[in-house]
Amino acid sequence: MENLKKAVSLLISTAMTVDQKLDDGKITIPEGMSIAISAVGWIWIFKNFQKVIEDFKALDEPGVNALTDQIRVELDLRNDVAEAVVEQALEIILRIAAVMIKTRPEA
């Protein structure tokens, strides 16, 4: 599950960078470069995509709970209401995807 956790952390980091840079409602060139630099970590996700998928396929209920807890701890947006909505949406999406993976016949 460590690969999946790392991938989620990298995505959260970029989301928080975008949120921070949108503080004034626009993105300057230096801010855009900062966002791009935070997205460089995504290269790790693409290089290890199969491992991340394997971790996701192996997710069980305790794993889903651990991942949603990680999201709640790491995600920190400027708007607390938006943060709560994003956290809830991600938990719903994660649970639905986990059920879909578990009930999908092996090909």
Side-chain angles (χ1 to χ4, degrees), residues 5-107:
K5 282 183 163 185
K6 183 173 180 177
V8 167
S9 288
L10 290 168
L11 295 171
I12 287 172
S13 175
T14 300
M16 288 175 25
T17 300
V18 170
D19 181 60
Q20 178 188 29
K21 300 307 177 190
L22 280 173
D23 189 35
D24 60 357
K26 57 185 173 187
I27 295 182
T28 63
I29 291 175
E31 289 172 331
M33 291 174 66
S34 178
I35 292 168
I37 289 169
S38 76
V40 167
W42 291 23
I43 292 171
W44 180 91
I45 296 172
F46 296 118
K47 283 185 174 181
N48 295 282
F49 193 72
Q50 192 58 43
K51 292 178 184 176
V52 173
I53 294 299
E54 288 170 11
D55 283 359
F56 187 78
K57 286 180 178 180
L59 260 175
D60 53 9
E61 186 63 24
V64 170
N65 291 336
L67 202 54
T68 56
D69 288 345
Q70 175 188 348
I71 292 168
R72 284 191 185 103
V73 168
E74 289 186 22
L75 185 64
D76 184 24
L77 301 179
R78 291 176 294 123
N79 182 324
D80 290 337
V81 173
E83 180 180 329
V85 169
V86 169
E87 289 170 353
Q88 290 172 351
L90 288 174
E91 181 176 357
I92 291 167
I93 291 167
L94 182 60
R95 290 188 183 281
I96 290 171
V99 167
M100 291 174 68
I101 293 290
K102 294 292 183 204
T103 59
R104 184 178 181 196
E106 292 296 320

